[in-house]
Amino acid sequence: MAGALAIADTRSQFTDLFSVYQWLTVVVAGIVFGLVLFALVRYRRRGNEYPRGKDKHTVAESIYALVLTAIAITLVTLTFRTEDKTDAVAANGGVRVDIVAFQWQWRFGYPDYGKTVLGTTEHVPTMVLPVGTVVRFDGISRDVIHSFWVPAARFKRDEFPKRHTKFDLRFDRVGTYIGRCAEFCGLRHTNMDFYVRVVPRDAFQRWVKS
Amino acid sequence: MLVVPRRASLIGWVGSTDHKRIGVRVATYAFGFFLLSGAFALVMRTELARPGLQVVSENTYNELFTMHGSGMFFLVMAPLALALGMYFVPLQIGASDIAWPRLALIGDWLIPLGGVTMFSGFLTDHGAAKAGWTAFAPLSDIDRSPGYGMDLWIFGGLLATAGVLLLAISVLTTIVRFRAPGMTMLRLPVFTWSMVATCLLVITSFPALIVALSLLFVDRHFSGVYEGASGPVLYQHLFWFYGHPVVYVIFFPFIGAVAEVVAVFSRRRFFGYHALVLSLLVFAALSMSVWAHHMFATGRVTNQYFALTSTILLVPAGVEYFDLIGTMIGGSILLSSAMLFAVGFIVLFLIGGLTGIIVASPPLDYHVHDTYFVVGHFHYTIFAGSLFGFFAAVYYWYPKVTGRMLRERLGKLQFVLYFLGANLTFFPMLVSGYEGMPRRVADYENIHDLSLMNMLSTIGAFTIALGTLVFLWNLRVSSRKPVPAGNDPWQGHTLEWWTTSPPPPHNFDSLPPVRSYSPLYDRRLGES
C-alpha cells in the first residue's frame, strides 16, 4: 500500500533504541557501583591518620565532562532519528480510524466503511486492523484528557477535548493486543481497556463488510 | 525530635523566630505528614498486592494516591529541603540569625496550615481531592471534580507553596547578606551552595504553581479559564513549570548534605569543589528548561528541544558523581549510619538518574509515560535518593540539633531495611510499567509478571515501614537514655561544628578564621 514503507513499526523502533539506552544504563551502573564498592573496601578507615591528597583534578574532570557531553549528544542524535520515524505521517494513509475517548469507554469509527465499534461496561471494544498497513488515527476526547496506549506497539498518544490528535501507526504482526487508557481520567480509569486485533488484509475486508 | 528548653512557654515555642526553632518545627510536622502520606502508600500497596479490588473502592484509591503525591511533594519533601537550609545555612556561614525572620515565621506556619486544609477534604461530602497530585484540567474542573475536597486541595497547595517560597526567600537572602567575615561566596560549604541553587529554583518556579492553582480556582467557580481547546495544555505548562524544578528543589539540598557527610566521613576536603558549585548552578539553570518532557505524549510540545535539555542534564549530574566518588577514593572512610545513607543515596539515585535518561527520550517515553516505569523512576530519585539523603543528614546533624547521639546500631538496621525495602518496592515497578501497567489504577490483570511484581513491591513497602518504625524507636531511645554528643562528634569540616550542641540562640560565641570552604578541617590539619 502507498506510503506503507514510510511508517515504521513503532515496536521495533522502540526496541532498537531502548536496547542502546539499556546497555548504557547497565554499563554506567556497573562502573559506578564498582567504584563505590572499591572505595568502601580499599579506603576503609584503619587508623586515625588524615589522608593527604589532591582536592581537585581539573584536567581529568574537564575531559570527563567532555566525554559525558559526547554521550549526551550521541543519545540525543539516536533519539531524534528514531523519533522522526515514530512521528512520521504518511503522505496518503491506508486505513482511517477515528478514536473517540470518553469517561470511561472508547468508540472506534471507520469512516471509509461506515463502521463503528462502541465499548460498553459488559463489552470491551475491539479495534480490528489490517496487518502491515498504515493506519491513520484521528482521536478526540469528549470530556477529560485520555491517552490511547497499546503496550505491544510501545506507543501512546494523549486524546484531548476540543482538539483532534492525529498519528500514524503500522502493526506488522497478526495478533490480539491489549490497549489501555494511560492518562488518569477519573473514577473508572482502571477499567478503560480495549483490544487491538490485527488480522490479514483479506480478513479485515471481510470484517468491515460484516 | 523537639528540643524545648525548660520553662519554655507555648507562645515562645510557636512564635519563635529563631531559625533553629523554625527549622525543627518545619522538619517535625513535615515528618508527621511523611508518616501520614506514607501510611496512604501502604494502603495502596495492600490493595495492589493481588489483582482485583479487596481493600478499598476505586474512589477511595483515587483519593489515596492523590493525597499521597500531594502530601509528599507539597508538605514533606519541599518543606524538609527548606527546613535543613533554615537550620544549617546560618550555622554554616557563621551568621547569628536569618534575614527576614518574621517572613520565615509566616512561611513556617503556612505549610502546616496548608496541610491541614488539604487533608480536611476527607471530612467533606465528596471526600478529598481525587484528580491526582497534578490535578490536570479539565479533570479538576467543577463538573468532573465536584465538591469542596478539590477546592481545599487548591487552597492547601497554595498555602504550602507560598510557605516554602517565603522560607526560600529568607534563606537565600541570609546567604547573600549574613556571611561571617572571610566567608566569601566561593568559601561557602557545599550544602550551603546546594541551598543557593534550591532557593533560586523555588523563587523562579513556585510562583508558576501559585498562578496555575489560582486560575484553577477561578476556572472552577467563575469562568472556565482552562475550557478552551488549548486550556488543558496551558494548565500542564504552568503546572510543570513548577512541577519539574520542584523535583530538583527536593534533590539539591540532599545531595548537598550527602556531599558534607561523604567529605567528613572520608576525612577529606570535598573533592572538586569548584566543579561541583558550577555543576549545581548549571543544573539549576538547565532544569528550568526541561518542564515539557512531562508532555511528550501530548504531541503538542516541541519534543526535540525538551529531549535535548533533559538529556544534557546528565553532564552536571555526572560531574557531581565524579566529585562524590572522588572524595571517597583516597579517603579514610568510616561507615557510620550517616555515611551508609549517603552511599545508599549515591547508589540508588543513580538508578533514578539512569531511568531518567530513558524517559527523556520521546520515542521511549511514548511507551513508558504514565506507567509504573515512571513511578519506579521517580521513587528511585525521591525516596531512594532524596529521602536517603535526608536520613544521612538526620544521622549526621541530629547530635548538633539536640546535643544527643542517635544509636548507630539502630541506624544501621534502619539503613538495611530501607535499602532492601526501596529496591524491593521500586525495581519491580520498572518491570511492571514496562510490561504494561499504567499508573493510578486500583486494579490490574494478571498478565506477564504483574502479579509477582506487585506482590514484591508490596512486601518492599512494608519493609520500608518497618525501617521507619526502627527510626522512631531510635528517636525514643536516644531521648530516654541520652548520650551527650559534644560540640563535634564527627570531626566536621564546617562552622556548625564549632559551636555548642545544641547551638545557643545567637549561634556563636566566637568564630575561627575562615580561609576555605572547610575551615575546621584547615584547623585540624594545622594542629596535627
Side-chain angles (χ1 to χ4, degrees):
Chain A
M1 195 164 283
L5 290 177
I7 301 304
D9 174 10
T10 44
R11 185 191 175 100
S12 64
Q13 290 297 324
F14 175 94
T15 307
D16 291 349
L17 186 63
F18 191 81
S19 64
V20 175
Y21 276 75
Q22 197 176 24
W23 183 82
L24 183 84
T25 300
V26 171
V27 169
V28 172
I31 292 172
V32 175
F33 295 170
L35 280 172
V36 169
L37 212 59
F38 164 74
L40 292 182
V41 175
R42 169 69 183 77
Y43 297 103
R44 68 182 183 279
R45 191 169 298 178
R46 294 184 178 87
N48 203 28
E49 81 289 1
Y50 267 78
R52 301 273 177 163
K54 295 182 77 162
D55 294 336
K56 60 180 174 183
H57 204 303
T58 311
V59 177
E61 191 147 15
S62 306
I63 294 170
Y64 167 75
L66 286 176
V67 171
L68 289 181
T69 311
I71 293 173
I73 289 171
T74 310
L75 289 179
V76 170
T77 310
L78 291 174
T79 282
F80 285 3
R81 281 198 196 147
T82 306
E83 192 178 3
D84 284 345
K85 292 178 195 154
T86 41
D87 283 356
V89 179
N92 38 5
V95 175
R96 290 197 295 155
V97 177
D98 293 338
I99 302 168
V100 180
F102 53 96
Q103 288 175 323
W104 290 276
Q105 272 305 341
W106 301 89
R107 198 187 75 197
F108 304 125
Y110 296 77
D112 298 331
Y113 305 98
K115 193 169 175 70
T116 303
V117 177
L118 178 66
T120 62
T121 36
E122 288 80 38
H123 171 71
V124 178
T126 301
M127 170 190 287
V128 179
L129 297 175
V131 72
T133 308
V134 174
V135 185
R136 166 72 46 87
F137 290 95
D138 183 336
I140 195 161
S141 163
R142 287 259 188 80
D143 35 56
V144 301
I145 306 168
H146 301 275
S147 191
F148 175 88
W149 180 33
V150 184
R154 307 286 188 256
F155 185 86
K156 72 169 63 68
R157 189 54 60 88
D158 292 354
E159 307 297 349
F160 284 89
K162 298 177 185 171
R163 190 178 186 281
H164 289 267
T165 302
K166 295 181 184 177
F167 54 96
D168 287 4
L169 288 179
R170 200 183 81 197
F171 291 83
D172 280 355
R173 280 189 299 179
V174 170
T176 302
Y177 309 109
I178 186 81
R180 306 178 193 287
C181 175
E183 183 69 62
F184 177 64
C185 58
L187 185 62
R188 305 227 176 277
H189 165 64
T190 304
N191 310 107
M192 209 172 141
D193 293 348
F194 58 92
Y195 288 109
V196 175
R197 186 150 60 89
V198 180
V199 298
R201 288 179 198 176
D202 50 343
F204 174 75
Q205 291 300 331
R206 283 199 299 278
W207 178 80
V208 288
K209 289 180 184 119
S210 66
Chain B
M1 243 174 144
L2 300 177
V3 190
V4 185
R6 237 171 256 170
R7 285 181 293 146
S9 67
L10 185 65
I11 293 292
W13 174 245
V14 167
S16 167
T17 53
D18 182 341
H19 71 94
K20 298 181 287 300
R21 289 200 179 176
I22 293 177
V24 171
R25 272 201 304 260
V26 175
T28 305
Y29 54 61
F31 198 77
F33 285 119
F34 168 72
L35 297 178
L36 181 62
S37 308
F40 285 11
L42 290 181
V43 179
M44 287 191 281
R45 281 315 325 166
T46 310
E47 171 58 57
L48 291 173
R50 293 171 60 215
L53 283 173
Q54 296 95 7
V55 184
V56 292
S57 64
E58 283 168 318
N59 188 55
T60 308
Y61 187 89
N62 294 347
E63 290 176 329
L64 287 175
F65 74 69
T66 299
M67 298 310 279
H68 168 76
S70 310
M72 287 297 186
F73 273 104
F74 299 138
L75 308 171
V76 179
M77 294 312 290
L80 280 182
L82 268 295
L84 286 182
M86 188 48 75
Y87 196 104
F88 292 104
V89 158
L91 290 170
Q92 285 204 323
I93 63 174
S96 60
D97 201 358
I98 41 166
W100 296 323
R102 291 191 186 89
L103 197 71
L105 180 67
I106 296 171
D108 169 353
W109 284 109
L110 284 180
I111 299 169
L113 188 65
V116 170
T117 305
M118 195 179 277
F119 279 94
S120 65
F122 280 105
L123 307 174
T124 63
D125 284 347
H126 286 81
K130 41 186 161 268
W133 89 278
T134 50
F136 278 179
L139 181 63
S140 51
D141 74 11
I142 193 76
D143 299 326
R144 278 81 181 212
S145 297
Y148 293 122
M150 192 70 225
D151 293 310
L152 289 167
W153 180 89
I154 292 173
F155 280 109
L158 283 173
L159 291 169
T161 307
V164 172
L165 182 57
L166 295 181
L167 294 181
I169 290 170
S170 173
V171 171
L172 186 61
T173 313
T174 305
I175 297 171
V176 175
R177 298 287 306 277
F178 284 24
R179 299 189 308 277
M183 181 64 78
T184 61
M185 285 302 274
L186 282 175
R187 288 179 190 164
L188 291 180
V190 177
F191 170 75
T192 297
W193 262 115
S194 75
M195 285 309 302
V196 173
T198 303
C199 294
L200 285 171
L201 284 185
V202 169
I203 290 165
T204 42
S205 70
F206 278 42
L209 184 73
I210 293 177
V211 171
L213 295 187
S214 305
L215 287 179
L216 183 58
F217 184 77
V218 173
D219 176 274
R220 286 171 60 80
H221 296 287
F222 302 104
S223 71
V225 180
Y226 299 122
E227 245 174 30
S230 39
V233 153
L234 168 69
Y235 177 84
Q236 290 190 24
H237 277 297
L238 284 172
F239 183 84
W240 290 121
F241 196 77
Y242 149 84
H244 201 81
V246 74
V247 306
Y248 297 109
V249 166
I250 63 179
F251 163 61
F252 289 152
F254 304 108
I255 197 174
V258 163
E260 302 277 0
V261 168
V262 165
V264 168
F265 290 98
S266 301
R267 286 199 164 169
R268 288 192 70 198
R269 220 189 282 282
F270 190 77
F271 180 84
Y273 170 83
H274 291 93
L276 185 93
V277 170
L278 185 64
S279 84
L280 279 172
L281 293 175
V282 169
F283 215 133
L286 270 176
S287 70
M288 293 301 296
S289 65
V290 300
W291 76 92
H293 68 211
H294 296 268
M295 300 163 69
F296 286 153
T298 62
R300 295 174 74 172
V301 293
T302 313
N303 285 2
Q304 273 90 347
Y305 172 77
F306 291 101
L308 176 68
T309 54
S310 307
T311 307
I312 212 81
L313 277 177
L314 72 84
V315 178
V319 168
E320 283 160 21
Y321 266 78
F322 187 91
D323 295 337
L324 285 168
I325 294 172
T327 308
M328 286 165 64
I329 289 179
S332 169
I333 299 171
L334 178 70
L335 267 182
S336 62
S337 304
M339 186 65 181
L340 277 174
F341 271 104
V343 171
F345 170 98
I346 294 171
V347 169
L348 297 182
F349 187 88
L350 184 75
I351 301 176
L354 291 171
T355 49
I357 299 172
I358 292 174
V359 292
S361 169
L364 303 181
D365 190 57
Y366 287 164
H367 177 49
V368 294
H369 178 66
D370 270 333
T371 71
Y372 260 88
F373 187 90
V374 169
V375 179
H377 151 67
F378 70 71
H379 279 89
Y380 261 109
T381 64
I382 298 171
F383 181 86
S386 297
L387 208 72
F388 271 59
F390 174 72
F391 277 108
V394 168
Y395 281 98
Y396 177 57
W397 276 321
Y398 185 88
K400 177 53 60 185
V401 175
T402 62
R404 296 165 185 159
M405 304 299 287
L406 283 170
R407 297 295 190 274
E408 279 291 305
R409 287 166 78 92
L410 288 173
K412 285 172 181 166
L413 177 61
Q414 186 203 349
F415 171 77
V416 170
L417 290 170
Y418 261 46
F419 192 84
L420 291 177
N423 285 301
L424 206 50
T425 310
F426 304 123
F427 203 86
M429 288 183 178
L430 298 174
V431 179
S432 57
Y434 188 93
E435 288 182 346
M437 181 155 164
R439 64 192 286 199
R440 297 173 167 174
V441 290
D443 189 11
Y444 55 93
E445 278 175 88
N446 183 22
I447 49 171
H448 303 294
D449 313 312
L450 290 191
S451 215
L452 172 67
M453 291 300 146
N454 277 286
M455 182 52 92
L456 290 177
S457 287
T458 301
I459 294 169
F462 281 92
T463 312
I464 293 169
L466 198 61
T468 310
L469 292 180
V470 171
F471 174 68
L472 293 173
W473 181 250
N474 201 346
L475 290 180
R476 187 186 148 91
V477 172
S478 77
S479 73
R480 285 291 167 89
K481 296 177 185 164
V483 176
N487 289 4
D488 187 8
W490 314 120
Q491 300 179 302
H493 297 178
T494 42
L495 291 182
E496 74 268 30
W497 303 105
W498 179 257
T499 186
T500 56
S501 307
H506 52 282
N507 288 350
F508 295 97
D509 292 322
S510 69
L511 279 173
V514 180
R515 297 202 184 89
S516 79
Y517 57 92
S518 43
L520 300 199
Y521 183 85
D522 297 343
R523 210 179 155 80
R524 199 163 292 122
L525 282 195
E527 282 168 1
S528 63

